[in-house]
Amino acid sequence: NNASAATKLLLSQSSTTNLKKSVSFSMDEEEKKEAEMDHERSREELLSKVARLNQLLKEREQQLVTEKDKRKKKEKNLLKLAKELKKRNALREEDMSRKEELERKAEFLEHHWVLAQKELEQSQQLQEERKVEHNRILEEERSKHAKDLSDAEKRIAELKKAHANQCDDLCREVLKANLDADRLHGQLNDGTVRQTEFFSNPNKTRSSFRLGPTLAIGVTFASLFAASLYVANQMEMLTHDVLCGPVMPGLVLKKEHAGVSFDAPFWAPESFKAEAYELLCSEVPPTQLYWESDGKQDTHRLTVQRGDKSFRKTGLTKSKMFGNNVRLWNKKGLAEDYDVTSRMS
């Protein structure tokens, strides 16, 4: 519409200009005077005037052709301008449409951004609530664990006390029984010393001894063994692999124990370990346990040797053994359980 209006305006201006020129040409005053004097002119003058007028007519026609050419060029340029204006108008309308679409998308994205912000705030609030609840549960579990640990320590202390009392009672009873037996044997055999054997073994030389330091050691060992069996039964830990193990069940080895070694069975005195093992655990080779530094800072090596087979682990900070089962802690504080027998090579 704008292009067509501009074209019409330019055409009207060009027509008005041409009309003005033609009017001024027809109303020339000098020509009027010349026309009034024609009846006074001679034939040669009239012919000269006609020639001059023909020449002037030709010049005017040539000017008219030139003007037409200029007007055509102007009209052509106006058409080009109109086309360019139309093209630019179409591009402008397209840009406006694109702008409106982008504004709608911006509103849509802003709306979703607000929703996402609210969702993030709700998620953070929920996470904070869960964290508080987790800390509360963790604190309750720690309190419960501390209470259970305290109860367990009290029970262990009571069991140790009962074990010590039982050992003392058994020791006194065994000593009293042996004294009565020696006294009765002496009365019946005219003072002959009674012979006894601590462990019955046909491959060992029988040894006899009087009631004295040697018998007291044996009696003490027997009483300790009986008391250990009693305590183990009370704690439901008495199994064959525990009884024939090199360390007491639940013994924890740490940094301060580096360099120690243990022989099975753990409950027998050093001088009676071989006889005790042959009496109760002869179906498997004797077991030794070694806890020593592995050459690195604050870590140790555990070795369990049984005959020509062994179980070995390094990089440890702590160990705890229950018969054939052992729990090992690495330097990160993570614990892992192993079956020693199945892992020996």
Side-chain angles (χ1 to χ4, degrees):
N1 294 331
N2 295 332
S4 60
T7 303
K8 289 179 181 180
L9 179 61
L10 290 172
L11 289 173
S12 63
Q13 290 177 354
S14 176
S15 300
T16 305
T17 303
N18 292 332
L19 288 172
K20 287 181 179 180
K21 287 182 179 179
S22 62
V23 169
S24 63
F25 173 75
S26 61
M27 296 300 290
D28 193 347
E29 296 294 332
E30 185 179 355
E31 291 295 330
K32 285 182 179 181
K33 292 179 180 179
E34 288 290 333
E36 291 176 354
M37 295 176 64
D38 284 343
H39 63 279
E40 297 178 0
R41 296 180 186 277
S42 63
R43 185 169 180 274
E44 288 79 6
E45 290 176 348
L46 292 172
L47 289 174
S48 176
K49 181 179 178 180
V50 169
R52 183 174 58 80
L53 291 174
N54 287 334
Q55 182 64 31
L56 183 62
L57 180 61
K58 288 180 181 180
E59 291 178 359
R60 295 297 183 182
E61 288 177 352
Q62 184 64 33
Q63 289 179 359
L64 182 61
V65 171
T66 304
E67 289 294 332
K68 285 181 178 180
D69 291 340
K70 289 181 178 180
R71 186 176 64 184
K72 286 181 179 179
K73 288 182 180 180
K74 287 182 179 181
E75 290 177 354
K76 188 175 180 180
N77 290 334
L78 287 173
L79 289 174
K80 287 183 179 180
L81 179 61
K83 289 180 180 180
E84 184 67 23
L85 289 174
K86 185 177 180 181
K87 183 179 178 180
R88 291 189 179 184
N89 189 38
L91 291 175
R92 181 177 177 277
E93 291 179 355
E94 184 178 351
D95 290 341
M96 292 297 293
S97 176
R98 179 64 177 169
K99 179 182 177 183
E100 292 176 357
E101 183 181 356
L102 292 175
E103 288 177 351
R104 288 194 299 270
K105 288 184 177 180
E107 291 177 358
F108 176 80
L109 292 175
E110 184 177 1
H111 175 69
H112 279 267
W113 180 82
V114 172
L115 293 179
Q117 189 71 16
K118 291 181 179 179
E119 185 177 355
L120 178 61
E121 292 175 357
Q122 292 176 356
S123 177
Q124 290 177 346
Q125 184 178 0
L126 181 60
Q127 185 178 4
E128 188 67 24
E129 293 175 356
R130 287 180 177 176
K131 183 178 179 180
V132 172
E133 181 67 15
H134 171 73
N135 291 335
R136 184 185 64 79
I137 295 174
L138 182 62
E139 190 63 29
E140 290 179 356
E141 290 296 326
R142 284 177 178 173
S143 300
K144 183 179 179 181
H145 174 71
K147 185 177 181 301
D148 293 341
L149 183 62
S150 178
D151 294 341
E153 290 177 349
K154 290 179 181 178
R155 184 183 176 192
I156 291 173
E158 292 174 355
L159 289 173
K160 285 183 178 179
K161 185 177 180 180
H163 170 252
N165 294 334
Q166 188 73 17
C167 287
D168 293 340
D169 294 341
L170 288 173
C171 184
R172 283 192 294 269
E173 290 178 4
V174 171
L175 288 173
K176 182 178 179 181
N178 277 280
L179 289 172
D180 292 340
D182 284 342
R183 181 175 53 78
L184 291 174
H185 186 275
Q187 291 176 358
L188 294 173
N189 295 280
D190 299 328
T192 304
V193 177
R194 181 169 66 97
Q195 295 181 349
T196 184
E197 183 177 323
F198 197 74
F199 288 106
S200 178
N201 189 341
N203 298 324
K204 299 290 183 179
T205 305
R206 297 178 64 89
S207 60
S208 61
F209 50 89
R210 290 180 58 86
L211 180 63
T214 305
L215 179 59
I217 293 174
V219 170
T220 303
F221 162 65
S223 62
L224 289 173
F225 177 53
S228 298
L229 294 180
Y230 170 77
V231 173
N233 277 318
Q234 293 294 321
M235 297 180 69
E236 298 180 352
M237 296 190 304
L238 183 59
T239 60
H240 185 267
D241 61 326
V242 170
L243 195 62
C244 298
V247 295
M248 181 181 295
L251 177 64
V252 178
L253 299 177
K254 299 181 180 178
K255 179 180 179 180
E256 55 268 22
H257 301 116
V260 299
S261 61
F262 302 89
D263 294 324
F266 68 89
W267 44 266
E270 193 66 32
S271 58
F272 292 101
K273 281 188 181 291
E275 290 83 355
Y277 200 92
E278 187 173 349
L279 178 65
L280 298 175
C281 312
S282 58
E283 65 273 12
V284 294
T287 306
Q288 294 86 31
L289 183 144
Y290 304 93
W291 177 255
E292 51 197 355
S293 175
D294 61 357
K296 299 179 181 179
Q297 185 178 6
D298 297 331
T299 56
H300 300 80
R301 175 176 62 248
L302 175 73
T303 305
V304 180
Q305 188 77 33
R306 184 175 293 166
D308 57 349
K309 294 184 178 181
S310 64
F311 168 82
R312 181 173 298 173
K313 282 288 181 181
T314 60
L316 307 175
T317 58
K318 187 168 61 173
S319 68
K320 191 175 185 180
M321 197 162 184
F322 301 85
N324 285 330
N325 298 313
V326 62
R327 177 170 295 173
L328 305 176
W329 283 263
N330 59 23
K331 59 183 179 181
K332 293 182 179 180
L334 301 177
E336 191 171 358
D337 295 334
Y338 297 90
D339 184 350
V340 174
T341 302
S342 62
R343 291 193 174 249
M344 280 190 170
S345 59

